[in-house]
């Protein structure tokens, strides 16, 4: 059984964190609150942002100095939890659960949705068994309900293939980048640019070679046509001309005969000019 969930998609998908802030998106109100908060008050803003049902990107909050100041203090667990929700997954939380605050059911659901986004962003087809393992869900029904919720919220777009037991991804919302990922992405793009430059140079050289070969072919064709025209004119002027004699026979005779006719036609043409 195969069906499309495209009708569930909102008209507009969620944008990246920077776009949200520029447009006054959901994260904006928490960014404004955190700018004037310190210590426990700032931690409370972080808790509110994490619990907000419409906030799924946290990069702008992480970039604020008051939020960064939570690191290394008694509020550090909440700072690390904010980082995990920005670019981590359920498996990352499980690995660090001993030093992080416990998750409410709502936060568990949000982290699972963000994990789906991460997996959908790395593959156009994601198998159910991979998703169930990553999300720690144990029934197909629970998994599909969660995927449908992610699609409804605009976090991902795609189709559920129940027969093949896989999610076919059309798009996935962009998540925040981990520290160092932007530099790595820049290096990858630079390498790609270099590769494209080499390919472009090779294509240019091959196009030049092809153009040269085409010109040579056209020149040969033009010369052949000119020779044939001279031969036609010579035959018109000497319709009763005796066959040319040569030392060739069989197939060789025809080629040599034509060559001599062209040669004689050239002589006739030159004589006419004198």
């Amino acid at each position: 059984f195969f069906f499309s969930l495209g009708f569930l998609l909102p008209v507009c998908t969620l944008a990246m964190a920077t776009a949200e802030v520029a447009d006054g998106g959901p994260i904006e109100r928490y960014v404004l609150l955190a700018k004037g908060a310190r210590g426990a008050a700032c931690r409370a803003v972080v808790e509110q942002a994490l619990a907000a049902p419409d906030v799924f990107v946290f990069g702008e909050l992480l970039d604020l100095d008051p939020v960064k100041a939570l690191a290394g203090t008694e509020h550090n667990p909440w700072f690390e939890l904010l980082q995990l929700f920005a670019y981590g997954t359920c498996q990352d939380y499980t690995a660090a659960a001993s030093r992080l605050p416990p998750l409410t059911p709502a936060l568990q659901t949000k982290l699972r949705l963000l994990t789906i986004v991460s997996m959908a962003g790395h593959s156009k087809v994601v198998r159910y068994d991979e998703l169930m393992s990553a999300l720690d869900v144990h029934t197909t029904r629970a998994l599909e309900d969660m995927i449908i919720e992610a699609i409804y919220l605009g976090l991902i777009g795609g189709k559920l293939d129940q027969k093949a037991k896989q999610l076919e991804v059309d798009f996935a919302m962009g998540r925040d980048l981990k520290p160092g990922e932007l530099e790595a992405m820049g290096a990858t793009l630079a390498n790609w640019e270099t590769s494209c430059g080499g390919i472009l140079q090779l294509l240019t050289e091959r196009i030049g070679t092809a153009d040269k070969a085409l010109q040579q072919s056209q020149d040969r064709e033009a010369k052949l046509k000119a020779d044939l025209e001279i031969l036609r004119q010579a035959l018109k002027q000497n319709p009763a001309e005796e066959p040319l004699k040569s030392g060739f026979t069989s197939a060789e005779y025809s080629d040599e005969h034509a060559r001599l006719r062209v040669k004689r036609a050239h002589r006739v043409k030159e004589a006419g000019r004198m």
Side-chain angles (χ1 to χ4, degrees), residues 31-217:
V31 170
L32 294 176
L33 287 171
K35 284 181 178 179
R38 296 293 183 275
C42 187
R43 185 208 68 195
V45 174
V46 170
E47 291 184 53
Q48 294 173 29
L50 290 173
D54 57 349
V55 177
F56 291 92
V57 286
F58 306 91
E60 292 296 323
L61 204 55
L62 278 170
D63 286 341
L64 295 178
D65 289 336
V67 175
K68 293 178 180 178
L70 298 176
T73 70
E74 59 183 311
H75 309 298
N76 185 72
W78 285 98
F79 176 74
E80 290 191 16
L81 188 63
L82 180 62
Q83 288 182 310
L84 191 144
F85 270 75
Y87 38 72
T89 64
C90 292
Q91 293 164 315
D92 296 327
Y93 178 83
T94 300
S98 61
R99 67 174 188 271
L100 296 175
L103 298 181
T104 64
L107 286 181
Q108 288 178 355
T109 297
K110 178 179 278 192
L111 188 56
R112 283 171 173 161
L113 292 172
L114 290 171
T115 300
I116 292 174
V117 171
S118 290
M119 297 180 71
H122 287 87
S123 177
K124 297 295 288 183
V125 176
V126 189
R127 300 199 312 271
Y128 276 15
D129 57 347
E130 294 175 341
L131 286 164
M132 293 174 73
S133 175
L135 304 179
D136 193 26
V137 296
H138 307 291
T139 66
T140 300
R141 177 61 183 273
L143 174 64
E144 290 181 340
D145 286 347
M146 198 161 295
I147 295 173
I148 290 172
E149 183 176 359
I151 292 175
Y152 180 77
L153 290 170
L155 303 178
I156 64 170
K159 301 173 183 177
L160 293 179
D161 187 341
Q162 293 182 314
K163 183 176 181 180
K165 293 188 179 301
Q166 63 188 23
L167 166 65
E168 297 181 358
V169 181
D170 292 332
F171 71 88
M173 177 197 77
R175 296 193 66 188
D176 298 300
L177 296 176
K178 295 179 181 179
E181 280 189 338
L182 185 60
E183 291 75 12
M185 188 181 297
T188 300
L189 290 173
N191 291 336
W192 178 76
E193 182 182 12
T194 300
S195 299
C196 287
I199 293 173
L200 180 61
Q201 182 178 357
L202 178 61
L203 289 175
T204 301
E205 292 174 354
R206 295 202 172 173
I207 290 173
T209 301
D211 287 343
K212 184 177 179 180
L214 176 62
Q215 186 61 51
Q216 291 174 344
S217 176

Side-chain angles (χ1 to χ4, degrees), residues 15-29:
M16 294 290 286
T18 52
E20 281 195 332
V21 172
D23 297 336
I27 192 64
E28 172 69 2
R29 58 184 178 272

